[in-house]
Amino acid sequence: MFLSCGSLHQRGPETDGTVFRIHTKAEGFMDADIPLELVFHLPVNYPSCLPGISINSEQLTRAQCVTVKEKLLEQAESLLSEPMVHELVLWIQQNLRHILSQPETGSGSEKCTFSTSTTMDDGLWITLLHLDHMRAKTKYVKIVEKWASDLRLTGRLMFMGKIILILLQGDRNNLKVPKS
C-alpha cells in the first residue's frame, strides 16, 4: 500500500484539513487484484464528521467507482467519532469482491477516473489546465500560487518536457468550468 499525504492550504482554520491519497489493491472477480486509488479529505473536525472520499481505478467502470464510494461512506458512518481511514482501507480490501458482485455495479463500460468519480453534490472538485507556454517561470509560479490561495484551492504545477499542466482541487464554487 502506498500513501501520500498533503495539507490543504485554505483560508481560515474552519476550512483546513488534510488529504490522504492511498494506492492499494483489493481482490475483485476471480481472485484478480484490482489497483485502487483512494483519496480521503479529512476536514478539521474529523473524525466527528465524514471524510470526503474519491475512488479511482482504471479497471473499474464509473458506476462501480460510484458504488464503491457509496459503500465506503456507509461504512464510515458506522465509524463516526473514531479514526477511520485505516479501517476503511482494510474494509474495502476485504469487501471489494462482494461490492462488485452486486447487480447494479456490473453495467457500464466507461472507465472510472478521478474527476468523473466526483459528482455535482460533492464540494471537492478537481480540474486540470494545460498551458501553452510560460515566459517568466518564477514570476508565473508565484502568480499561480497566489491565485490558488485566493480561491482557496490546492494543487500542483507540473512540467513534463514542453507540456505545462496545473492540477487544482477545491470547492466546486471556486472552480469555474468554461462553457464549450
Side-chain angles (χ1 to χ4, degrees):
M1 177 173 15
F2 172 74
L3 166 70
S4 63
C5 171
S7 296
L8 288 178
H9 301 291
Q10 299 176 337
R11 262 188 272 170
E14 69 280 354
T15 58
D16 287 343
T18 302
V19 173
F20 285 96
R21 184 176 317 276
I22 300 171
H23 296 269
T24 189
K25 291 182 179 178
E27 193 176 296
F29 296 118
M30 296 185 283
D31 300 328
D33 280 345
I34 296 178
L36 295 173
E37 179 184 60
L38 308 170
V39 180
F40 295 92
H41 170 245
L42 308 180
V44 72
N45 50 353
Y46 169 85
S48 298
C49 65
L50 294 177
I53 300 174
S54 295
I55 308 295
N56 179 30
S57 178
E58 291 184 10
Q59 295 186 14
L60 299 179
T61 66
R62 182 184 305 186
Q64 289 172 324
C65 285
V66 169
T67 302
V68 170
K69 176 182 173 179
E70 290 169 356
K71 297 297 182 185
L72 272 174
L73 285 170
E74 287 174 18
Q75 185 65 22
E77 286 177 4
S78 70
L79 299 169
L80 270 177
S81 300
E82 59 185 79
M84 64 182 80
V85 173
H86 185 255
E87 291 296 322
L88 292 174
V89 172
L90 292 176
W91 185 85
I92 198 61
Q93 288 173 332
Q94 296 167 359
N95 292 285
L96 182 63
R97 171 191 280 182
H98 304 296
I99 294 169
L100 296 178
S101 67
Q102 295 173 1
E104 66 271 13
T105 62
S107 61
S109 61
E110 293 182 47
K111 294 298 175 194
C112 175
T113 62
F114 192 85
S115 60
T116 57
S117 67
T118 306
T119 62
M120 187 70 90
D121 295 335
D122 291 334
L124 200 59
W125 270 58
I126 292 179
T127 192
L128 182 66
L129 306 173
H130 176 240
L131 303 179
D132 291 330
H133 66 281
M134 188 180 292
R135 290 191 180 139
K137 182 177 174 180
T138 306
K139 184 178 179 183
Y140 197 86
V141 168
K142 286 184 180 181
I143 290 170
V144 170
E145 286 173 346
K146 179 165 181 2
W147 173 58
S149 175
D150 290 346
L151 292 172
R152 293 186 243 156
L153 302 173
T154 185
R156 293 282 186 259
L157 186 57
M158 298 173 281
F159 298 91
M160 298 180 296
K162 293 183 179 184
I163 299 172
I164 305 167
L165 300 172
I166 301 175
L167 181 67
L168 295 170
Q169 175 180 311
D171 187 84
R172 170 68 178 113
N173 296 329
N174 295 333
L175 291 172
K176 305 298 181 215
V177 180
K179 305 237 190 259
S180 350

